[in-house]
Amino acid sequence: MRMFCHGYQSWSESRWRVAGVDEDPSRTPGAIPAMIDAHSGLPAPAAPGELRSHLVTMFDDDPTVHAGQGLLRLVDGELLGATATFDSLEQWARRQPGRTGAPFQVGWCSWYQFFDHVTEDDIRRNLALADTWPFDVFQIDDGFQRAIGDWLDTNEKFPSTLERLAADIDGAGRRPGLWLAPFLVAPDSEVALRHPQWIARDERGEPLVGMVNQHWGGAVHVLDTTEPEVLEHLQQLVGTLVAAGFTYLKLDFTYAPGLAGRYTDSEVSPADRVHAGYAAIRRGAGDDTFLLGCGAPLGSAIGLVDGMRIGPDVAPWWEVPPGRRGPPGYEGTMPATANALRAVQARQFMHRRLWLNDPDCVMLRTTDTELSVDEVRRWALAVGDSGGMVMVSDDLANLGPDAYALLDDVLARGREADRRAASLTSLP
Ligand code: 9PG
């Protein structure tokens, strides 16, 4: 018997596994608790023979979809945690209180070309080149901030203030977009130094580590979203960013308050801790700001975000290159365009029912990439055919008429697929 194992958060794998044969990925030898937690919502690995799925699952000998609030477990042939059944994944998704009114999204994002090295000059050069491109949104990704947690201050690579940048993007006729990891704080950030009591703790009483990332200076800590002051801080922070002009926010690494640890209110569940953080952000952002979830436990963001990353990061390569294999248990989740493509297929049923799916960025360039011309086309057209968000992530100086023509094709297919998904949403 095969079981559809649906992933926990944006980057987690979703796939069919053979019961009694395939191991749950949380059982990968050498997988560290933080990895298991980020991908199954629990720090402990599955029992031998146990398979895990989140929100929904189904079996290949029965068309019924089984659904629950969070973790569903197959233990000794018995499904635990399921509370309802549906005829299809689409029917389940249609019954959720999604937020599906945003228009089809087309934009530019800095990450998959400039990564953390991005400079203000890269942003301004591309903004100037964007004149002939059909972008509504122009989004600055990771790399502008002074420190993780200090989102209102830019670093030395960005001489301008955020207000200035937003005003100039707006002046160029684009919607200003900004990346942030709202629930993470670097140990040396102003917010962490000023408010040590806002940080969740691990079982030893040390600040809870939410991510270790070399370009952020190493380990960063997790905000405790059961602390009322933290929720107020998040609401205010996002209100300030919106007032500065950023009405499109990519909220990343948002699994963090779901990690096991010591929180002020130990009665709040991991899913509710994430939900409370997202709800505070939506209160601060107001109704008209486009919120994009990323690295997000999917169930906790339903109804609060307009768009959701539904798979791993793309990368300027197809399969994960041998030298870039991640930590054990992380293989299907590593940045690789092939991994992103698998998620587009597995989570298509969510688009226009829970939110707009964000399959991750399209890369149109054929230089400065390990992707072949065919792989570039294959991914771009898959994004188009999904009807999901289309964000281009290239230095526009690298793109010629072929890239332009490919994007035209992607957008034509995308608008058509999106219209079809939207009309299916309104069926009973
Ligand atoms: C910015 C990036 C981009 C990207 C996001 C997210 O496990 N990891 O080390 C890991 C690092 C980065 C990452 C995902 C996982 O990517 O998905 O679009 O915004 O952050 O840092």
mmCIF file of all heavy atoms in Angstrom, residues 125-174:
data_model
loop_
_atom_site.group_PDB
_atom_site.id
_atom_site.type_symbol
_atom_site.label_atom_id
_atom_site.label_comp_id
_atom_site.label_asym_id
_atom_site.label_seq_id
_atom_site.Cartn_x
_atom_site.Cartn_y
_atom_site.Cartn_z
ATOM 1 N N ARG A 125 20.083 49.317 -10.816
ATOM 2 C CA ARG A 125 20.353 48.991 -12.229
ATOM 3 C C ARG A 125 19.198 48.195 -12.812
ATOM 4 O O ARG A 125 18.751 48.433 -13.922
ATOM 5 C CB ARG A 125 21.620 48.133 -12.319
ATOM 6 C CG ARG A 125 22.871 48.864 -12.750
ATOM 7 C CD ARG A 125 24.044 47.922 -13.018
ATOM 8 N NE ARG A 125 24.131 46.761 -12.161
ATOM 9 C CZ ARG A 125 23.768 45.527 -12.503
ATOM 10 N NH1 ARG A 125 23.296 45.288 -13.723
ATOM 11 N NH2 ARG A 125 23.870 44.527 -11.655
ATOM 12 N N ASN A 126 18.728 47.195 -12.045
ATOM 13 C CA ASN A 126 17.653 46.354 -12.549
ATOM 14 C C ASN A 126 16.323 47.094 -12.606
ATOM 15 O O ASN A 126 15.534 46.878 -13.513
ATOM 16 C CB ASN A 126 17.553 45.064 -11.736
ATOM 17 C CG ASN A 126 18.526 44.021 -12.244
ATOM 18 O OD1 ASN A 126 18.218 43.276 -13.164
ATOM 19 N ND2 ASN A 126 19.730 44.019 -11.683
ATOM 20 N N LEU A 127 16.109 47.985 -11.651
ATOM 21 C CA LEU A 127 14.883 48.788 -11.677
ATOM 22 C C LEU A 127 14.855 49.635 -12.955
ATOM 23 O O LEU A 127 13.814 49.742 -13.614
ATOM 24 C CB LEU A 127 14.833 49.679 -10.433
ATOM 25 C CG LEU A 127 13.556 50.484 -10.237
ATOM 26 C CD1 LEU A 127 12.346 49.559 -10.074
ATOM 27 C CD2 LEU A 127 13.683 51.393 -9.005
ATOM 28 N N ALA A 128 16.005 50.188 -13.321
ATOM 29 C CA ALA A 128 16.085 51.001 -14.539
ATOM 30 C C ALA A 128 15.851 50.126 -15.778
ATOM 31 O O ALA A 128 15.143 50.511 -16.707
ATOM 32 C CB ALA A 128 17.441 51.696 -14.623
ATOM 33 N N LEU A 129 16.414 48.897 -15.770
ATOM 34 C CA LEU A 129 16.261 47.994 -16.921
ATOM 35 C C LEU A 129 14.854 47.411 -17.006
ATOM 36 O O LEU A 129 14.453 46.901 -18.053
ATOM 37 C CB LEU A 129 17.272 46.852 -16.822
ATOM 38 C CG LEU A 129 18.745 47.222 -17.038
ATOM 39 C CD1 LEU A 129 19.661 46.071 -16.608
ATOM 40 C CD2 LEU A 129 18.993 47.582 -18.504
ATOM 41 N N ALA A 130 14.100 47.467 -15.892
ATOM 42 C CA ALA A 130 12.782 46.819 -15.841
ATOM 43 C C ALA A 130 11.726 47.546 -16.677
ATOM 44 O O ALA A 130 10.644 47.013 -16.901
ATOM 45 C CB ALA A 130 12.312 46.706 -14.392
ATOM 46 N N ASP A 131 12.066 48.747 -17.143
ATOM 47 C CA ASP A 131 11.114 49.553 -17.922
ATOM 48 C C ASP A 131 10.384 48.780 -19.007
ATOM 49 O O ASP A 131 9.190 48.986 -19.225
ATOM 50 C CB ASP A 131 11.858 50.722 -18.591
ATOM 51 C CG ASP A 131 11.852 51.936 -17.684
ATOM 52 O OD1 ASP A 131 11.176 51.867 -16.636
ATOM 53 O OD2 ASP A 131 12.529 52.928 -18.028
ATOM 54 N N THR A 132 11.103 47.893 -19.690
ATOM 55 C CA THR A 132 10.485 47.186 -20.815
ATOM 56 C C THR A 132 9.936 45.822 -20.391
ATOM 57 O O THR A 132 9.539 45.023 -21.239
ATOM 58 C CB THR A 132 11.516 46.977 -21.928
ATOM 59 O OG1 THR A 132 12.654 46.314 -21.354
ATOM 60 C CG2 THR A 132 11.966 48.310 -22.515
ATOM 61 N N TRP A 133 9.931 45.529 -19.082
ATOM 62 C CA TRP A 133 9.464 44.220 -18.611
ATOM 63 C C TRP A 133 8.127 44.378 -17.873
ATOM 64 O O TRP A 133 7.892 45.404 -17.232
ATOM 65 C CB TRP A 133 10.497 43.588 -17.670
ATOM 66 C CG TRP A 133 11.764 43.192 -18.378
ATOM 67 C CD1 TRP A 133 12.812 44.007 -18.689
ATOM 68 C CD2 TRP A 133 12.088 41.899 -18.896
ATOM 69 N NE1 TRP A 133 13.784 43.295 -19.353
ATOM 70 C CE2 TRP A 133 13.363 41.996 -19.495
ATOM 71 C CE3 TRP A 133 11.425 40.656 -18.903
ATOM 72 C CZ2 TRP A 133 13.983 40.891 -20.096
ATOM 73 C CZ3 TRP A 133 12.053 39.568 -19.488
ATOM 74 C CH2 TRP A 133 13.316 39.687 -20.088
ATOM 75 N N PRO A 134 7.280 43.338 -17.939
ATOM 76 C CA PRO A 134 5.898 43.476 -17.424
ATOM 77 C C PRO A 134 5.755 43.184 -15.928
ATOM 78 O O PRO A 134 4.832 42.485 -15.518
ATOM 79 C CB PRO A 134 5.140 42.419 -18.245
ATOM 80 C CG PRO A 134 6.153 41.336 -18.463
ATOM 81 C CD PRO A 134 7.481 42.039 -18.607
ATOM 82 N N PHE A 135 6.650 43.705 -15.099
ATOM 83 C CA PHE A 135 6.600 43.391 -13.670
ATOM 84 C C PHE A 135 5.666 44.350 -12.934
ATOM 85 O O PHE A 135 5.761 45.557 -13.093
ATOM 86 C CB PHE A 135 7.994 43.512 -13.045
ATOM 87 C CG PHE A 135 9.058 42.686 -13.715
ATOM 88 C CD1 PHE A 135 10.323 43.220 -13.948
ATOM 89 C CD2 PHE A 135 8.797 41.389 -14.123
ATOM 90 C CE1 PHE A 135 11.311 42.463 -14.563
ATOM 91 C CE2 PHE A 135 9.783 40.623 -14.744
ATOM 92 C CZ PHE A 135 11.046 41.166 -14.966
ATOM 93 N N ASP A 136 4.822 43.775 -12.073
ATOM 94 C CA ASP A 136 4.039 44.604 -11.156
ATOM 95 C C ASP A 136 4.829 44.827 -9.869
ATOM 96 O O ASP A 136 4.854 45.918 -9.332
ATOM 97 C CB ASP A 136 2.713 43.912 -10.799
ATOM 98 C CG ASP A 136 1.907 43.585 -12.041
ATOM 99 O OD1 ASP A 136 1.796 44.468 -12.908
ATOM 100 O OD2 ASP A 136 1.416 42.445 -12.157
ATOM 101 N N VAL A 137 5.462 43.744 -9.405
ATOM 102 C CA VAL A 137 6.160 43.775 -8.119
ATOM 103 C C VAL A 137 7.661 43.826 -8.359
ATOM 104 O O VAL A 137 8.171 43.199 -9.291
ATOM 105 C CB VAL A 137 5.822 42.488 -7.309
ATOM 106 C CG1 VAL A 137 6.605 42.434 -6.009
ATOM 107 C CG2 VAL A 137 4.329 42.395 -7.062
ATOM 108 N N PHE A 138 8.366 44.558 -7.512
ATOM 109 C CA PHE A 138 9.827 44.585 -7.568
ATOM 110 C C PHE A 138 10.324 44.335 -6.151
ATOM 111 O O PHE A 138 10.210 45.196 -5.288
ATOM 112 C CB PHE A 138 10.295 45.943 -8.107
ATOM 113 C CG PHE A 138 11.687 45.903 -8.657
ATOM 114 C CD1 PHE A 138 11.925 45.462 -9.952
ATOM 115 C CD2 PHE A 138 12.760 46.298 -7.876
ATOM 116 C CE1 PHE A 138 13.209 45.417 -10.470
ATOM 117 C CE2 PHE A 138 14.049 46.251 -8.382
ATOM 118 C CZ PHE A 138 14.277 45.813 -9.679
ATOM 119 N N GLN A 139 10.846 43.119 -5.906
ATOM 120 C CA GLN A 139 11.096 42.669 -4.528
ATOM 121 C C GLN A 139 12.585 42.498 -4.213
ATOM 122 O O GLN A 139 13.305 41.777 -4.887
ATOM 123 C CB GLN A 139 10.363 41.352 -4.278
ATOM 124 C CG GLN A 139 10.456 40.877 -2.839
ATOM 125 C CD GLN A 139 11.038 39.486 -2.725
ATOM 126 O OE1 GLN A 139 10.609 38.585 -3.431
ATOM 127 N NE2 GLN A 139 12.015 39.308 -1.842
ATOM 128 N N ILE A 140 13.010 43.178 -3.141
ATOM 129 C CA ILE A 140 14.374 43.041 -2.616
ATOM 130 C C ILE A 140 14.374 41.858 -1.660
ATOM 131 O O ILE A 140 13.563 41.802 -0.733
ATOM 132 C CB ILE A 140 14.793 44.327 -1.864
ATOM 133 C CG1 ILE A 140 14.657 45.548 -2.778
ATOM 134 C CG2 ILE A 140 16.210 44.191 -1.312
ATOM 135 C CD1 ILE A 140 14.868 46.887 -2.040
ATOM 136 N N ASP A 141 15.286 40.922 -1.859
ATOM 137 C CA ASP A 141 15.355 39.737 -0.988
ATOM 138 C C ASP A 141 16.454 39.922 0.059
ATOM 139 O O ASP A 141 17.018 41.020 0.216
ATOM 140 C CB ASP A 141 15.560 38.472 -1.849
ATOM 141 C CG ASP A 141 14.902 37.237 -1.259
ATOM 142 O OD1 ASP A 141 15.471 36.641 -0.325
ATOM 143 O OD2 ASP A 141 13.797 36.870 -1.725
ATOM 144 N N ASP A 142 16.747 38.869 0.781
ATOM 145 C CA ASP A 142 17.783 38.806 1.821
ATOM 146 C C ASP A 142 19.073 39.504 1.364
ATOM 147 O O ASP A 142 19.541 39.250 0.253
ATOM 148 C CB ASP A 142 18.049 37.306 2.086
ATOM 149 C CG ASP A 142 18.973 37.056 3.256
ATOM 150 O OD1 ASP A 142 19.397 38.024 3.916
ATOM 151 O OD2 ASP A 142 19.258 35.868 3.505
ATOM 152 N N GLY A 143 19.639 40.337 2.228
ATOM 153 C CA GLY A 143 20.929 40.976 1.921
ATOM 154 C C GLY A 143 20.948 42.476 2.156
ATOM 155 O O GLY A 143 21.998 43.087 2.159
ATOM 156 N N PHE A 144 19.787 43.096 2.356
ATOM 157 C CA PHE A 144 19.717 44.556 2.554
ATOM 158 C C PHE A 144 19.853 44.931 4.029
ATOM 159 O O PHE A 144 20.239 46.047 4.376
ATOM 160 C CB PHE A 144 18.362 45.097 2.044
ATOM 161 C CG PHE A 144 17.205 44.649 2.895
ATOM 162 C CD1 PHE A 144 16.787 45.406 3.992
ATOM 163 C CD2 PHE A 144 16.565 43.442 2.647
ATOM 164 C CE1 PHE A 144 15.754 44.972 4.811
ATOM 165 C CE2 PHE A 144 15.533 42.999 3.461
ATOM 166 C CZ PHE A 144 15.124 43.765 4.547
ATOM 167 N N GLN A 145 19.498 43.979 4.926
ATOM 168 C CA GLN A 145 19.265 44.308 6.341
ATOM 169 C C GLN A 145 20.567 44.473 7.114
ATOM 170 O O GLN A 145 21.567 43.822 6.827
ATOM 171 C CB GLN A 145 18.389 43.234 6.997
ATOM 172 C CG GLN A 145 19.050 41.868 7.193
ATOM 173 C CD GLN A 145 19.078 40.986 5.948
ATOM 174 O OE1 GLN A 145 18.596 41.357 4.889
ATOM 175 N NE2 GLN A 145 19.668 39.795 6.066
ATOM 176 N N ARG A 146 20.514 45.301 8.130
ATOM 177 C CA ARG A 146 21.646 45.509 9.043
ATOM 178 C C ARG A 146 21.908 44.216 9.811
ATOM 179 O O ARG A 146 23.040 43.785 9.963
ATOM 180 C CB ARG A 146 21.300 46.646 10.013
ATOM 181 C CG ARG A 146 22.266 46.865 11.159
ATOM 182 C CD ARG A 146 23.497 47.658 10.770
ATOM 183 N NE ARG A 146 23.192 48.934 10.164
ATOM 184 C CZ ARG A 146 22.885 50.050 10.827
ATOM 185 N NH1 ARG A 146 22.821 50.048 12.135
ATOM 186 N NH2 ARG A 146 22.636 51.160 10.170
ATOM 187 N N ALA A 147 20.863 43.600 10.317
ATOM 188 C CA ALA A 147 21.004 42.336 11.053
ATOM 189 C C ALA A 147 19.659 41.624 10.998
ATOM 190 O O ALA A 147 18.618 42.270 10.838
ATOM 191 C CB ALA A 147 21.381 42.621 12.513
ATOM 192 N N ILE A 148 19.688 40.295 11.124
ATOM 193 C CA ILE A 148 18.445 39.537 11.215
ATOM 194 C C ILE A 148 17.718 40.024 12.473
ATOM 195 O O ILE A 148 18.262 39.962 13.578
ATOM 196 C CB ILE A 148 18.747 38.017 11.292
ATOM 197 C CG1 ILE A 148 19.379 37.525 9.977
ATOM 198 C CG2 ILE A 148 17.486 37.219 11.635
ATOM 199 C CD1 ILE A 148 18.516 37.617 8.746
ATOM 200 N N GLY A 149 16.530 40.568 12.291
ATOM 201 C CA GLY A 149 15.767 41.123 13.414
ATOM 202 C C GLY A 149 15.661 42.636 13.355
ATOM 203 O O GLY A 149 14.674 43.197 13.807
ATOM 204 N N ASP A 150 16.702 43.283 12.806
ATOM 205 C CA ASP A 150 16.679 44.756 12.686
ATOM 206 C C ASP A 150 16.288 45.138 11.261
ATOM 207 O O ASP A 150 17.122 45.587 10.463
ATOM 208 C CB ASP A 150 18.051 45.340 13.052
ATOM 209 C CG ASP A 150 18.410 45.115 14.521
ATOM 210 O OD1 ASP A 150 17.487 44.843 15.319
ATOM 211 O OD2 ASP A 150 19.608 45.198 14.848
ATOM 212 N N TRP A 151 15.025 44.951 10.958
ATOM 213 C CA TRP A 151 14.553 45.027 9.570
ATOM 214 C C TRP A 151 14.422 46.444 9.049
ATOM 215 O O TRP A 151 14.264 46.654 7.854
ATOM 216 C CB TRP A 151 13.222 44.277 9.429
ATOM 217 C CG TRP A 151 13.366 42.870 9.899
ATOM 218 C CD1 TRP A 151 12.833 42.321 11.031
ATOM 219 C CD2 TRP A 151 14.146 41.833 9.294
ATOM 220 N NE1 TRP A 151 13.232 41.012 11.166
ATOM 221 C CE2 TRP A 151 14.025 40.687 10.114
ATOM 222 C CE3 TRP A 151 14.918 41.759 8.131
ATOM 223 C CZ2 TRP A 151 14.671 39.478 9.807
ATOM 224 C CZ3 TRP A 151 15.553 40.561 7.828
ATOM 225 C CH2 TRP A 151 15.431 39.443 8.655
ATOM 226 N N LEU A 152 14.445 47.443 9.915
ATOM 227 C CA LEU A 152 14.231 48.815 9.448
ATOM 228 C C LEU A 152 15.542 49.500 9.057
ATOM 229 O O LEU A 152 15.522 50.593 8.491
ATOM 230 C CB LEU A 152 13.509 49.634 10.527
ATOM 231 C CG LEU A 152 12.156 49.040 10.967
ATOM 232 C CD1 LEU A 152 11.549 49.848 12.101
ATOM 233 C CD2 LEU A 152 11.194 48.976 9.776
ATOM 234 N N ASP A 153 16.672 48.853 9.348
ATOM 235 C CA ASP A 153 17.975 49.454 9.063
ATOM 236 C C ASP A 153 18.692 48.682 7.963
ATOM 237 O O ASP A 153 18.784 47.458 8.026
ATOM 238 C CB ASP A 153 18.856 49.443 10.314
ATOM 239 C CG ASP A 153 18.215 50.221 11.452
ATOM 240 O OD1 ASP A 153 17.688 51.312 11.178
ATOM 241 O OD2 ASP A 153 18.224 49.714 12.591
ATOM 242 N N THR A 154 19.227 49.415 6.987
ATOM 243 C CA THR A 154 19.976 48.781 5.910
ATOM 244 C C THR A 154 21.451 48.673 6.298
ATOM 245 O O THR A 154 21.916 49.344 7.216
ATOM 246 C CB THR A 154 19.840 49.592 4.611
ATOM 247 O OG1 THR A 154 20.118 50.961 4.904
ATOM 248 C CG2 THR A 154 18.447 49.480 4.034
ATOM 249 N N ASN A 155 22.192 47.821 5.577
ATOM 250 C CA ASN A 155 23.629 47.661 5.840
ATOM 251 C C ASN A 155 24.443 48.541 4.879
ATOM 252 O O ASN A 155 23.871 49.272 4.055
ATOM 253 C CB ASN A 155 24.025 46.183 5.763
ATOM 254 C CG ASN A 155 23.712 45.573 4.404
ATOM 255 O OD1 ASN A 155 23.899 46.217 3.369
ATOM 256 N ND2 ASN A 155 23.223 44.345 4.399
ATOM 257 N N GLU A 156 25.769 48.429 4.965
ATOM 258 C CA GLU A 156 26.636 49.331 4.168
ATOM 259 C C GLU A 156 26.510 49.108 2.659
ATOM 260 O O GLU A 156 26.867 49.998 1.886
ATOM 261 C CB GLU A 156 28.093 49.245 4.653
ATOM 262 C CG GLU A 156 28.773 47.877 4.606
ATOM 263 C CD GLU A 156 28.192 46.850 5.611
ATOM 264 O OE1 GLU A 156 27.454 47.222 6.549
ATOM 265 O OE2 GLU A 156 28.489 45.659 5.424
ATOM 266 N N LYS A 157 25.981 47.959 2.221
ATOM 267 C CA LYS A 157 25.781 47.734 0.777
ATOM 268 C C LYS A 157 24.580 48.527 0.253
ATOM 269 O O LYS A 157 24.361 48.632 -0.939
ATOM 270 C CB LYS A 157 25.558 46.245 0.489
ATOM 271 C CG LYS A 157 26.772 45.367 0.806
ATOM 272 C CD LYS A 157 26.549 43.932 0.351
ATOM 273 C CE LYS A 157 25.569 43.189 1.227
ATOM 274 N NZ LYS A 157 24.460 42.580 0.536
ATOM 275 N N PHE A 158 23.764 49.025 1.175
ATOM 276 C CA PHE A 158 22.560 49.788 0.821
ATOM 277 C C PHE A 158 22.617 51.168 1.486
ATOM 278 O O PHE A 158 22.092 51.340 2.596
ATOM 279 C CB PHE A 158 21.296 49.026 1.261
ATOM 280 C CG PHE A 158 20.923 47.895 0.362
ATOM 281 C CD1 PHE A 158 21.663 46.718 0.352
ATOM 282 C CD2 PHE A 158 19.850 48.009 -0.513
ATOM 283 C CE1 PHE A 158 21.333 45.677 -0.501
ATOM 284 C CE2 PHE A 158 19.510 46.967 -1.370
ATOM 285 C CZ PHE A 158 20.254 45.802 -1.370
ATOM 286 N N PRO A 159 23.242 52.147 0.818
ATOM 287 C CA PRO A 159 23.381 53.478 1.408
ATOM 288 C C PRO A 159 22.039 54.182 1.645
ATOM 289 O O PRO A 159 21.944 55.006 2.551
ATOM 290 C CB PRO A 159 24.213 54.254 0.377
ATOM 291 C CG PRO A 159 24.831 53.223 -0.518
ATOM 292 C CD PRO A 159 23.957 52.018 -0.462
ATOM 293 N N SER A 160 21.020 53.865 0.846
ATOM 294 C CA SER A 160 19.732 54.559 1.005
ATOM 295 C C SER A 160 18.921 53.951 2.143
ATOM 296 O O SER A 160 19.133 52.808 2.534
ATOM 297 C CB SER A 160 18.895 54.464 -0.271
ATOM 298 O OG SER A 160 19.547 55.095 -1.332
ATOM 299 N N THR A 161 17.957 54.721 2.617
ATOM 300 C CA THR A 161 16.998 54.189 3.590
ATOM 301 C C THR A 161 15.972 53.326 2.860
ATOM 302 O O THR A 161 15.818 53.406 1.640
ATOM 303 C CB THR A 161 16.238 55.327 4.275
ATOM 304 O OG1 THR A 161 15.508 56.036 3.259
ATOM 305 C CG2 THR A 161 17.177 56.283 4.997
ATOM 306 N N LEU A 162 15.240 52.532 3.630
ATOM 307 C CA LEU A 162 14.164 51.735 3.041
ATOM 308 C C LEU A 162 13.088 52.636 2.438
ATOM 309 O O LEU A 162 12.525 52.324 1.379
ATOM 310 C CB LEU A 162 13.554 50.804 4.086
ATOM 311 C CG LEU A 162 14.380 49.582 4.484
ATOM 312 C CD1 LEU A 162 13.613 48.748 5.514
ATOM 313 C CD2 LEU A 162 14.741 48.722 3.278
ATOM 314 N N GLU A 163 12.787 53.762 3.087
ATOM 315 C CA GLU A 163 11.773 54.696 2.564
ATOM 316 C C GLU A 163 12.170 55.174 1.160
ATOM 317 O O GLU A 163 11.349 55.225 0.255
ATOM 318 C CB GLU A 163 11.631 55.938 3.453
ATOM 319 C CG GLU A 163 10.900 55.734 4.746
ATOM 320 C CD GLU A 163 11.803 55.214 5.858
ATOM 321 O OE1 GLU A 163 12.985 54.884 5.585
ATOM 322 O OE2 GLU A 163 11.320 55.127 6.996
ATOM 323 N N ARG A 164 13.455 55.536 1.028
ATOM 324 C CA ARG A 164 13.958 56.041 -0.257
ATOM 325 C C ARG A 164 13.827 54.960 -1.336
ATOM 326 O O ARG A 164 13.366 55.204 -2.452
ATOM 327 C CB ARG A 164 15.427 56.447 -0.061
ATOM 328 C CG ARG A 164 16.123 57.078 -1.217
ATOM 329 C CD ARG A 164 15.697 58.525 -1.425
ATOM 330 N NE ARG A 164 14.776 58.606 -2.548
ATOM 331 C CZ ARG A 164 13.801 59.516 -2.670
ATOM 332 N NH1 ARG A 164 13.603 60.432 -1.746
ATOM 333 N NH2 ARG A 164 13.021 59.517 -3.727
ATOM 334 N N LEU A 165 14.234 53.729 -0.969
ATOM 335 C CA LEU A 165 14.178 52.622 -1.933
ATOM 336 C C LEU A 165 12.742 52.359 -2.361
ATOM 337 O O LEU A 165 12.450 52.218 -3.555
ATOM 338 C CB LEU A 165 14.783 51.359 -1.316
ATOM 339 C CG LEU A 165 16.314 51.356 -1.242
ATOM 340 C CD1 LEU A 165 16.801 50.329 -0.231
ATOM 341 C CD2 LEU A 165 16.911 51.095 -2.624
ATOM 342 N N ALA A 166 11.839 52.329 -1.384
ATOM 343 C CA ALA A 166 10.431 52.071 -1.709
ATOM 344 C C ALA A 166 9.883 53.190 -2.592
ATOM 345 O O ALA A 166 9.170 52.927 -3.574
ATOM 346 C CB ALA A 166 9.610 51.944 -0.428
ATOM 347 N N ALA A 167 10.234 54.425 -2.262
ATOM 348 C CA ALA A 167 9.722 55.554 -3.051
ATOM 349 C C ALA A 167 10.233 55.469 -4.494
ATOM 350 O O ALA A 167 9.484 55.744 -5.442
ATOM 351 C CB ALA A 167 10.150 56.880 -2.410
ATOM 352 N N ASP A 168 11.479 55.061 -4.662
ATOM 353 C CA ASP A 168 12.034 54.990 -6.018
ATOM 354 C C ASP A 168 11.450 53.817 -6.812
ATOM 355 O O ASP A 168 11.244 53.920 -8.028
ATOM 356 C CB ASP A 168 13.560 54.935 -5.959
ATOM 357 C CG ASP A 168 14.146 56.265 -5.466
ATOM 358 O OD1 ASP A 168 13.407 57.291 -5.490
ATOM 359 O OD2 ASP A 168 15.317 56.284 -5.038
ATOM 360 N N ILE A 169 11.188 52.714 -6.134
ATOM 361 C CA ILE A 169 10.544 51.578 -6.817
ATOM 362 C C ILE A 169 9.121 51.979 -7.211
ATOM 363 O O ILE A 169 8.671 51.756 -8.336
ATOM 364 C CB ILE A 169 10.538 50.315 -5.912
ATOM 365 C CG1 ILE A 169 11.981 49.828 -5.681
ATOM 366 C CG2 ILE A 169 9.687 49.216 -6.526
ATOM 367 C CD1 ILE A 169 12.116 48.734 -4.613
ATOM 368 N N ASP A 170 8.440 52.619 -6.277
ATOM 369 C CA ASP A 170 7.078 53.093 -6.542
ATOM 370 C C ASP A 170 7.074 54.112 -7.681
ATOM 371 O O ASP A 170 6.217 54.057 -8.577
ATOM 372 C CB ASP A 170 6.518 53.712 -5.259
ATOM 373 C CG ASP A 170 5.086 54.162 -5.416
ATOM 374 O OD1 ASP A 170 4.222 53.279 -5.582
ATOM 375 O OD2 ASP A 170 4.840 55.391 -5.404
ATOM 376 N N GLY A 171 8.067 55.019 -7.645
ATOM 377 C CA GLY A 171 8.177 56.035 -8.701
ATOM 378 C C GLY A 171 8.405 55.419 -10.076
ATOM 379 O O GLY A 171 8.048 56.012 -11.100
ATOM 380 N N ALA A 172 9.009 54.240 -10.099
ATOM 381 C CA ALA A 172 9.236 53.537 -11.374
ATOM 382 C C ALA A 172 7.999 52.729 -11.775
ATOM 383 O O ALA A 172 8.028 51.979 -12.757
ATOM 384 C CB ALA A 172 10.454 52.627 -11.254
ATOM 385 N N GLY A 173 6.929 52.868 -11.001
ATOM 386 C CA GLY A 173 5.673 52.225 -11.383
ATOM 387 C C GLY A 173 5.540 50.779 -10.926
ATOM 388 O O GLY A 173 4.706 50.043 -11.447
ATOM 389 N N ARG A 174 6.370 50.367 -9.951
ATOM 390 C CA ARG A 174 6.297 48.977 -9.453
ATOM 391 C C ARG A 174 5.869 48.984 -7.997
ATOM 392 O O ARG A 174 6.095 49.958 -7.277
ATOM 393 C CB ARG A 174 7.657 48.282 -9.543
ATOM 394 C CG ARG A 174 8.439 48.558 -10.791
ATOM 395 C CD ARG A 174 7.862 47.851 -12.000
ATOM 396 N NE ARG A 174 8.406 48.476 -13.211
ATOM 397 C CZ ARG A 174 8.187 48.041 -14.435
ATOM 398 N NH1 ARG A 174 7.422 46.992 -14.630
ATOM 399 N NH2 ARG A 174 8.701 48.659 -15.467
#
